[in-house]
Structures are given as structure tokens and as C-alpha cells.
Amino acid sequence: MDTYSTEEQQIEAIKRWWHEYGKAIILGSAIGLAGLFGWRYYQSHQLENSAAGAEAFEQVSRDLATQGSAAFDRAAAFVSENQGNNYGELAAMLLAAEAVKADDLALARAQLEQALAGSKDAVLSNTIALRLARVLIADNELSLAQTQLDKVTGDAFAAQKAEVQGDLYLAQNQPDQARTAYEQARTAGGVAENPALALKLDNLAAASPQGE
């Protein structure tokens, strides 16, 4: 299941970012989230939560990474307690990613929906909506997936949105439309950031009667 074709890289970006900047946050510094999730477009954004919140998020992240499903309940409790702030939203995305690995799409969907409902930031909202669309596709909730995908806006998300749209078309057994969407993603720079997109295009070309 390629539900999170680029999300693994995004999760690693979160961990690298936290390892580098977490202590500064605990000391009260306002750290910009430039580069978070592997994008160059996240600028002038700050985390303003307490030291206790920062430490708790770090623990949740570590528990999910090392304990997997055994940490789901604790992580979900943290998300509920921090709904509406960045720590809660980031934890929800981490938990959703682990839930997908555990084939618990219902949990992943619930966490992403909760994070999206509380998000006040456009970049995070777009990120969450894309992830939620992927989960819904995997869960065969195709109409709902389209609804979430339609919420994604902005040039910074053009490649990812087009790729997920292609995935949705494939799930709807519309390979020609999927190919067009993947081509749009490639034009927007998706291949450079996500080699899996090139494989999707190659697979569609191999399956084409014309061998395109």
C-alpha cells in the first residue's frame, strides 16, 4: 500500500528538525519551521508552546518511533489534549503515519480529521488534507477523498495534489485521467521530490495498449 509515498520522508524531516531545534524551543526561542515536511515554502512560522508541551511532544514522537502500536493510546491522548496547537497537529500526523503502517486506517483517519478540524495554519491544513485524502483512497472512500483533495490550495502543493489526484483516478479505474494528473505532478516538479511518481508513470505507460 503506497498510502504514504512521500510521508516517510516527511516524518524523518520532523524528527531531524526536532533533534536540531527542540532544545531551543524548550528554552523559549521562537524557531521558524523552514523546511518542515521537506518543503521550502514554510516560512515565518513559530512554535509558542510551553516547555512542558515541547517535552511531551518529544516523548510522544520517541514512543511512536520505538514502540509503534503500543504507544497509540498515549499519543492519541496527547493529541486530544493539544488539539488546536502545533504540537497536537504534528503528533496527530505522526500517529496517523504509524496507524497506516499498522493497517489501522480508521485510527489514521480519525487523527487526521481531528488535526484538520483544529488547524489554523494554511500549510498544516493543506498537509493534513493531502494525507487524509490518501488514507481515504486506501479505505475506498473515494468521494470523501475528492472532497479533501479539493480543499488543498497553493502552488507549493501543486505537485502533491496532482499526484494524489492521479492515485484517486486510478482507484476509480480511470487510467487516462490518472496519467494526465501524474504528468501535471511531474511538470510541477513532483518527480524530483518523489521518485515514486516516476514509477507510477512508468507503470501506466507499460500498461497502455500503445506502450506509451
Side-chain angles (χ1 to χ4, degrees):
M1 181 185 300
D2 190 28
T3 307
Y4 275 63
S5 59
T6 61
E7 275 73 2
E8 290 295 336
Q9 297 174 2
Q10 295 174 2
I11 294 300
E12 289 304 315
I14 290 174
K15 293 177 180 177
R16 289 195 302 270
W17 174 83
W18 183 259
H19 177 74
E20 183 174 357
Y21 295 117
K23 292 182 180 179
I25 293 173
I26 293 173
L27 293 174
S29 298
I31 304 300
L33 296 181
L36 185 60
F37 314 126
W39 293 312
R40 301 181 297 274
Y41 306 100
Y42 206 133
Q43 299 176 346
S44 301
H45 190 77
Q46 296 177 329
L47 286 175
E48 298 177 344
N49 293 280
S50 67
E55 292 170 348
F57 171 76
E58 184 177 15
Q59 184 64 54
V60 166
S61 175
R62 182 164 53 248
D63 288 348
L64 286 171
T66 59
Q67 301 176 24
S69 59
F72 282 3
D73 288 344
R74 294 193 301 277
F78 177 85
V79 172
S80 295
E81 293 166 0
N82 290 273
Q83 186 172 10
N85 69 50
N86 289 297
Y87 289 127
E89 291 153 13
L90 292 175
M93 287 189 285
L94 290 172
L95 175 53
E98 293 298 325
V100 168
K101 291 180 185 178
D103 200 28
D104 191 343
L105 297 181
L107 176 60
R109 175 178 173 180
Q111 289 300 309
L112 293 172
E113 288 176 340
Q114 183 173 341
L116 188 60
S119 177
K120 301 177 180 64
D121 181 273
V123 173
L124 281 175
S125 294
N126 281 331
T127 303
I128 297 165
L130 281 167
R131 292 192 175 198
L132 181 54
R134 289 182 183 274
V135 169
L136 290 168
I137 291 170
D139 205 24
N140 202 35
E141 294 283 1
L142 304 186
S143 178
L144 292 176
Q146 186 66 67
T147 297
Q148 293 302 325
L149 197 55
D150 289 342
K151 296 178 181 179
V152 179
T153 60
D155 292 343
F157 295 90
Q160 294 179 71
K161 181 177 181 178
E163 182 183 354
V164 178
Q165 184 69 69
D167 295 343
L168 179 55
Y169 282 138
L170 273 186
Q172 295 170 326
N173 196 29
Q174 298 178 345
D176 291 339
Q177 291 88 334
R179 183 183 298 106
T180 298
Y182 289 150
E183 290 288 357
Q184 291 173 346
R186 176 161 62 182
T187 299
V191 168
E193 296 184 0
N194 177 21
L197 176 59
L199 294 177
K200 293 176 184 180
L201 282 164
D202 290 344
N203 288 338
L204 278 175
S208 172
Q210 292 78 23
E212 297 176 358

